[in-house]
Amino acid sequence: MSVDTPGVRAFYAALGVSLRAGHGTNVAARCFVDPEAHRRDDRNPSMSVSLHNGVFRCHGCGAAGGAYDAARHHGLSPRAAIDLMVTHGLVERRPTPSRRTRTPPSAQTRPLPRVVNRPRPRLDVSDTDLLDYHAALLAAPATLSALRRQQLWTDAVIRRYRLGLHRGRVVIPVTDAVGRLLSVLRYDANRVGRAPKMLAVAGSVRALFPAPASLTARRLLLVEGEPDALAALSLGIAAVAIPGVDAWRGEWASLFAGRVVTICPDCDRQGRALAVRVRSDLDRAAVAAEVFDLDTGRDDGYDLTDALRVAHQAHDMTTLSRLRLFRCDLAAPLPY
């Protein structure tokens, strides 16, 4: 069937994927399959999406698929993915024939394209692996010292969130509110050259970190990136990280019901655009929200860890006292 441009654009918009403006057959978008494989979460888009049928291909990491695969990559179930495609006119729902009058194949209209159910690959990391990685980090005093000094991470937070060490990268396990492992991230705090700072193990599902339900504070700071959340938590600030500028999902807003949320983006155009989008979704979910810009005069990616490091070293009580309104109780047990 013919698919019009508005249908494809609306479909991807529903997934939270922003397609660049254009009138050709293909338009650019940031990679949503493995953004950590690209520089700065693929802020210079390397993916192309067909406005004819929704097929995508990333010219950076090689990921490719159709509209159904895009929906599955964003965590939709097979049924929900098909429903969304139907809603936006990418496929037609196959009618259910009557048990008494089944339509013979010869009388059927042109068959719909076959939709291949490609289950999400399982995480290639076991609980035993995570325990080994955690033990390896605890046994690496030089690395621990660097993380304390550069990232402001405390030993208590490192142990609480079971951070590990594997092949020179810090391992960050991400779980949901009941302890199910959703993703495993590998972070290089001292990136050299063009290697990405953050890598995700195959099969990882983008999720908030830590799960909002694991924090008891009424006021939460919503930041960009797991390392920023870990730095804030280490200073007693109740913070939750969005996993990248293009990873926010509108339905996450309901997870903050009953909280007061301050969005603290990185100081650049993409981070501030993310803050506007998140604020809008939180407003629609009736969640009290505001945006806290760390430095309105900067546009270089200056982030919360940078600000905390400067404030901590300079004993800047104005910044620290403002952020410490978001007190968290790290003595409270995790729900997993």
Side-chain angles (χ1 to χ4, degrees):
M1 63 178 291
S2 174
V3 179
D4 60 9
T5 297
V8 173
R9 285 189 178 277
F11 172 81
Y12 275 93
L15 295 177
V17 176
S18 176
L19 302 184
R20 293 295 175 93
H23 302 288
T25 303
N26 298 300
V27 294
R30 291 177 185 159
C31 179
F32 52 77
V33 176
D34 190 8
E36 288 86 1
H38 305 269
R39 295 189 67 188
R40 294 179 63 80
D41 286 340
D42 200 27
R43 295 191 180 190
N44 294 318
S46 59
M47 180 175 281
S48 63
V49 177
S50 169
L51 293 178
H52 173 66
N53 54 19
V55 169
F56 66 85
R57 180 176 182 80
C58 181
H59 302 286
C61 67
Y68 175 82
D69 301 294
R72 294 286 284 135
H73 274 298
H74 283 82
L76 272 66
S77 67
R79 179 181 293 276
I82 295 298
D83 287 345
L84 189 63
M85 293 172 71
V86 171
T87 297
H88 295 288
L90 274 66
V91 295
E92 294 176 350
R93 196 180 300 280
R94 187 187 298 275
T96 304
S98 168
R99 293 183 180 179
R100 295 183 180 180
T101 58
R102 188 176 184 86
T103 306
S106 60
Q108 293 180 358
T109 58
R110 182 178 59 185
L112 294 173
R114 182 186 176 202
V115 176
V116 179
N117 184 1
R118 298 177 182 173
R120 185 184 297 277
R122 296 181 61 184
L123 278 166
D124 190 24
V125 175
S126 68
D127 288 339
T128 300
D129 291 332
L130 293 177
L131 289 172
D132 289 342
Y133 300 158
H134 184 52
L137 179 56
L138 297 181
T143 301
L144 287 172
S145 178
L147 292 176
R148 296 187 201 106
R149 183 178 63 259
Q150 298 171 11
Q151 301 298 131
L152 305 181
W153 299 354
T154 61
D155 292 349
V157 163
I158 287 170
R159 291 176 182 277
R160 180 178 179 80
Y161 293 102
R162 298 186 299 164
L163 306 186
L165 184 65
H166 181 56
R167 296 182 180 176
R169 286 177 174 263
V170 176
V171 177
I172 305 175
V174 179
T175 65
D176 64 12
V178 295
R180 289 175 298 188
L181 186 65
L182 299 177
S183 61
V184 176
L185 309 176
R186 299 176 59 238
Y187 176 62
D188 182 2
N190 301 304
R191 179 179 58 180
V192 177
R194 298 174 62 89
K197 255 190 178 181
M198 189 76 78
L199 296 172
V201 171
S204 294
V205 179
R206 308 306 299 274
L208 298 172
F209 172 85
S214 69
L215 298 175
T216 58
R218 181 171 179 267
R219 294 176 59 90
L220 294 178
L221 199 64
L222 193 53
V223 301
E224 183 184 332
E226 294 81 4
D228 277 357
L230 289 166
L233 290 162
S234 293
L235 291 178
I237 300 166
V240 174
I242 301 170
V245 292
D246 281 331
W248 171 260
R249 293 167 55 181
E251 60 266 30
W252 285 345
S254 63
L255 300 177
F256 297 92
R259 312 280 190 129
V260 177
V261 177
T262 295
I263 307 155
C264 184
D266 290 356
C267 292
D268 54 25
R269 179 177 56 83
Q270 296 86 354
R272 291 176 176 121
L274 169 65
V276 171
R277 190 164 69 251
V278 173
R279 170 71 182 273
S280 176
D281 288 335
L282 291 172
D283 285 346
R284 280 195 290 269
V287 175
E290 64 175 352
V291 176
F292 176 37
D293 197 311
L294 292 165
D295 190 334
T296 57
R298 301 187 69 143
D299 192 29
D300 56 356
Y302 186 75
D303 61 20
L304 181 65
T305 298
D306 296 326
L308 290 175
R309 188 184 300 115
V310 170
H312 189 65
Q313 293 172 351
H315 303 287
D316 178 1
M317 297 311 297
T318 301
T319 299
L320 290 178
S321 62
R322 168 73 190 277
L323 293 176
R324 281 173 177 161
L325 291 173
F326 306 87
R327 295 185 182 89
C328 63
D329 180 11
L330 288 183
L334 287 168
Y336 45 82

